[in-house]
Amino acid sequence: MIDISLLICTRNRSRSLATLLASVEAAAGQWPDGRIELILVDNGSTDATAAVIRHWATDRPFTVRLLSEPLPGLARARNMALRAARGRIVAMTDDDCVLHPDYFARLAQVFARQPAPVIIGGRILLGDPDDLMLTVKLEDHPMIAEPGLFPGGFVMGANLAFTVDVRHAVGPFDERFGAGAPFRAAEDTDFLLRAQALGIPIRYDPGFVVDHHHGRRHEEEAVALLAGYGFGDGALYAKHIRTDRRVRQWLAQDIRNLRDRFEGPVPIIRHFHAFRLRHVLAGLAAYARAALTSPRSA
């Protein structure tokens, strides 16, 4: 049986994909006894991504599976990869990340210490010092998510793994969420929230690490990213508000945070809590409108 299935979904990254693929090969070489498969999904690229992947995949010392999902959407592409995965551990990273050389060996060690089912997120470092300090996870100590904690940001899809039984219990990613989908973000948070509802523990462990080369260097890029996160979270609230009483608590906390008018976790957005709440409410309203239009899909 495959020990680890690594899922990577990519779109129009032909110029930078080689660095990630080289890091996968290097990490596999440092764990020679491990049985690894790499599942690459080309999510409708219009550049030379498909050719780069095919050329690199030739004569690798581990299994490489090449898939194509022409319809855009990160969640849609991840679901295709999930259906193909055969590993005891299913891991995923983004196409703008680079694995550390001991990634597979450390990932296996971390999961060996935890009973299944379990979801574990790893450390995410800034890959380029010129990029803004966004989409990173820097804590240097293990943590476990408390049941009432909003799981968004506790662990992230750029470095996330789980035992295969989690996939069967939680089901696929919701394809209405995430990059390239109507609700822009929160596809990983939705997956985590559904896992929490089933009593599946969510942990963070800094033992397995990736560097994130996200490329955002201007404030307007950060603002757009955080607006999308808020919008996705709002749609997520709307999806679960009837079935998960924690959602009302999280929304109430977003409102209470308005008391801290000028303070927030993102210095470049002065009224951050008002900024976030505005986009959360916009996402909530968008989900509600979509549910009225197509009740069955909601």
Side-chain angles (χ1 to χ4, degrees), residues 144-163:
I144 183 168
E146 297 178 5
L149 178 75
F150 182 62
F154 180 80
V155 292
M156 303 182 193
N159 192 10
L160 189 68
F162 44 85
T163 48

Side-chain angles (χ1 to χ4, degrees), residues 14-56:
S14 61
R15 294 184 179 182
S16 59
L17 199 56
T19 304
L20 168 58
L21 296 176
S23 76
V24 173
E25 185 170 11
Q30 287 207 13
W31 195 42
D33 297 329
R35 291 159 295 183
I36 299 166
E37 71 172 358
L38 174 63
I39 301 175
L40 287 158
V41 181
D42 179 13
N43 191 202
S45 296
T46 56
D47 63 0
T49 291
V52 169
I53 291 174
R54 284 195 300 270
H55 177 75
W56 177 86

Side-chain angles (χ1 to χ4, degrees), residues 74-75 78 92 94 119 124 151-153 155-160 170 173-174 177-179 185-195 202 229 233 236:
L74 177 57
R78 280 181 173 166
M92 60 184 65
D94 289 343
I119 299 172
I124 306 170
V155 292
M156 303 182 193
N159 192 10
L160 189 68
V170 178
F173 288 95
D174 189 330
F177 291 82
E187 82 292 341
D188 48 358
T189 307
D190 175 70
F191 188 88
L192 297 172
L193 196 154
R194 288 186 280 137
I202 300 171
Y229 285 170
D233 286 347
L236 187 68

Side-chain angles (χ1 to χ4, degrees), residues 110-125:
V110 166
F111 273 85
R113 297 193 293 264
Q114 301 295 338
V118 65
I119 299 172
I120 308 178
R123 200 175 193 193
I124 306 170
L125 303 180

Side-chain angles (χ1 to χ4, degrees), residues 105-153:
R106 296 295 297 273
L107 181 67
Q109 291 172 4
V110 166
F111 273 85
R113 297 193 293 264
Q114 301 295 338
V118 65
I119 299 172
I120 308 178
R123 200 175 193 193
I124 306 170
L125 303 180
L126 193 66
D128 190 324
D130 291 331
D131 290 349
L132 295 173
M133 190 62 70
L134 299 167
T135 60
V136 293
K137 186 72 178 174
L138 304 178
E139 288 86 347
D140 60 359
H141 56 279
M143 300 182 292
I144 183 168
E146 297 178 5
L149 178 75
F150 182 62

Side-chain angles (χ1 to χ4, degrees), residues 84-115:
R86 299 173 297 169
R88 294 185 300 107
I89 300 167
V90 178
M92 60 184 65
T93 191
D94 289 343
D95 62 354
D96 54 1
C97 291
V98 175
L99 308 187
H100 279 210
D102 60 353
Y103 173 87
F104 288 115
R106 296 295 297 273
L107 181 67
Q109 291 172 4
V110 166
F111 273 85
R113 297 193 293 264
Q114 301 295 338

